Every structure is written in C-alpha cells, then in structure tokens.
Amino acid sequence: MTDTPLTEPLPRAACIIAVDGPAASGKGTLARRLAAHYDFAYLDTGALYRAVALGVMDAGDQIEDESAAVRAAENLNMARLEEGDFAARLRTADTGLAASVVAAMAPVRAAILAAQRQFATMPPDNKAGAVLDGRDIGTVVCPDAAAKLFITARAEIRAQRRFTELRENDGSLSFETVLADIQARDGRDANRATAPMKQADDAALLDTSDLSIEEAFAAALARVEAKLNP
Ligand code: DC
C-alpha cells in the first residue's frame, strides 16, 4: 500500500472540448484557436487517420488491405505527426482520400481510440484541458466532453477553401476535382457503419459558410463559454 498523504489534492479532471465536422469546414482552425485561448492541448485526430494511411502506403501495401491498416494503426507514432516532411505529406489531397478509406475500418478506429482518450483525459504538458477535432469526438471518443461543437459549411465553400490551400503545391489541380473529392469524402465519412460523422445531440452547430475566421472564432467561443461558464 502506498502512503498518499490525505492532504494531496485529487487530480483535476481535464476539461475536454470536442470539435467535429466535415473536411475544410474550419474546424481545425477553430479548434487550434480555442486551445490557444484556454491554454489547452490540441489534437488533430484526422492526422492520426492520415498517418495510418501513409503507414500503409509507405509499407507498400494496398490502402484497402485492412490487416495492413491495423498494423499501421498499432504502430502509430504520435511524435512523428509534427515532423517536417512527414507532416507535409500528411496534408496532401491523396493522403486525405486514403485516410477516409482506412477511417471506415472498425478495427483501425478501435486501435487508435485509446490513444485519443488518453490525450483527452491526460493532456500533455499538464494542461488543464484538451481540444480534439475530428468526426466522432463528441459522439464516440469523448461523449462526456464539457463542450461540443459541430462545425460545417456548404460543400462549394469548403472546396474553394481546400482548393486555395492545395493549389499552392499543385498548379494542375482543378476546382471541380477538389469539389468531387470533398463530396466523396463527405459521403464516406457520413455513411460508414462505424462512428460515422454526425452531430452529437448535445453539440452546438456552427455554419462558417458566410463567416470570416474572426467571426467564426467569436461564434465558436461564445458557444463553448455558454457550456463552460454558463
Ligand atoms: O480531418 P481530416 O481531413 O484530416 O480527416 C482525414 C480523414 O479521417 C477523413 O476522411 C475522416 C477521417 N476521420 C475520422 O474518421 N474520424 C476522426 N475523428 C477524424 C478524421
């Protein structure tokens, strides 16, 4: 038996903010800004699925190969997500599409669930809370999150944002291709059997289609504050 002094305070439960929504809705930018505002840790869970997809492709396996994807998920190294070249490869359109294929596999989702929950409940650097963004944070990963947002925007607006971002590295890309990719991903993310993208019943909806980043952040913060400090 360990002698824990009775005076030692119990660890305070981490405050979790869940931010879900479709690709290029603005959820990443908003989640990052919320984390900075509250001095919370931030986890882009999409990057985990992207890293699994890269792991499969780098091993020379087919993206549809479920056992290869599970292997990549089990060997996922969260520290690599920030490494320069790897981080840049995570962000390409091809990796995003491949990520939506492995994200539809239930055993892949199961393999990275614990790491996401660990990050949320025990945020790194002793932070008092964590902001996680993804598709199923409010519904599956952190159903007890203190505040939940579901960020969306019209598909054409999201495609335009992604097009502007991706065109910097690929001048041959067309808007129509990006829009078709976004729609294909929306369909796969929303219609898969396991943890489909969906607004949690207790999540606040925010449509960023006609908002500037500043307006969207003010609206997101107001919704989170209404939950955290009513
Ligand atoms: O947010 P993103 O574009 O980086 O996500 C990449 C893919 O991963 C996307 O198709 C959906 C999937 N994803 C998921 O299924 N669940 C999450 N929590 C995060 C992302």
Side-chain angles (χ1 to χ4, degrees):
M1 211 174 99
T2 51
D3 285 337
T4 309
L6 289 174
T7 51
E8 193 163 294
L10 283 170
R12 206 153 53 88
C15 176
I16 302 169
I17 302 176
V19 182
D20 290 303
S25 57
K27 66 181 186 309
T29 304
L30 294 175
R32 234 178 273 272
R33 290 209 37 187
L34 286 169
H37 177 86
Y38 289 108
D39 192 26
F40 285 178
Y42 166 66
L43 181 64
D44 166 9
T45 65
L48 304 181
Y49 292 96
R50 286 168 180 264
V52 171
L54 272 188
V56 173
M57 295 188 287
D58 286 352
D61 292 314
Q62 294 298 315
I63 199 66
E64 296 80 13
D65 181 341
E66 189 168 286
S67 50
V70 171
R71 237 182 350 262
E74 285 168 348
N75 291 323
L76 190 68
N77 177 357
M78 302 248 293
R80 271 198 91 188
L81 303 178
E82 310 281 323
E83 276 175 18
D85 180 50
F86 192 77
R89 291 172 61 220
L90 283 183
R91 305 280 11 126
T92 69
D94 285 349
T95 307
L97 268 182
S100 77
V101 176
V102 297
M105 299 171 180
V108 168
R109 306 195 71 85
I112 61 172
L113 183 60
Q116 295 173 75
R117 287 194 173 147
Q118 160 116 11
F119 185 99
T121 54
M122 275 177 277
D125 303 325
N126 261 325
K127 300 275 186 190
V131 184
L132 282 75
D133 80 47
R135 304 291 191 285
D136 62 338
I137 308 303
T139 50
V140 174
V141 179
C142 303
D144 298 330
K148 299 181 185 178
L149 296 176
F150 192 87
I151 313 293
T152 189
R154 293 189 293 278
E156 289 71 18
I157 301 266
R158 291 187 284 119
Q160 186 58 53
R161 291 174 184 164
R162 208 25 79 84
F163 177 56
T164 308
E165 195 181 294
L166 293 173
R167 200 177 35 179
E168 280 177 25
N169 295 321
D170 182 358
S172 67
L173 206 63
S174 77
F175 172 77
E176 287 69 29
T177 309
V178 177
L179 178 59
D181 280 358
I182 289 251
Q183 286 167 333
R185 263 198 320 138
D186 284 357
R188 243 200 307 265
D189 293 343
N191 297 317
R192 65 176 174 235
T194 311
M197 171 175 70
K198 130 176 184 310
Q199 183 183 349
D201 292 340
D202 52 351
L205 180 67
L206 176 59
D207 187 327
T208 65
S209 298
D210 303 311
L211 302 180
S212 68
I213 292 177
E214 288 311 319
E215 288 168 337
F217 178 64
L221 187 58
R223 284 162 173 75
V224 172
E225 276 293 299
K227 288 285 183 182
L228 301 189
N229 300 304

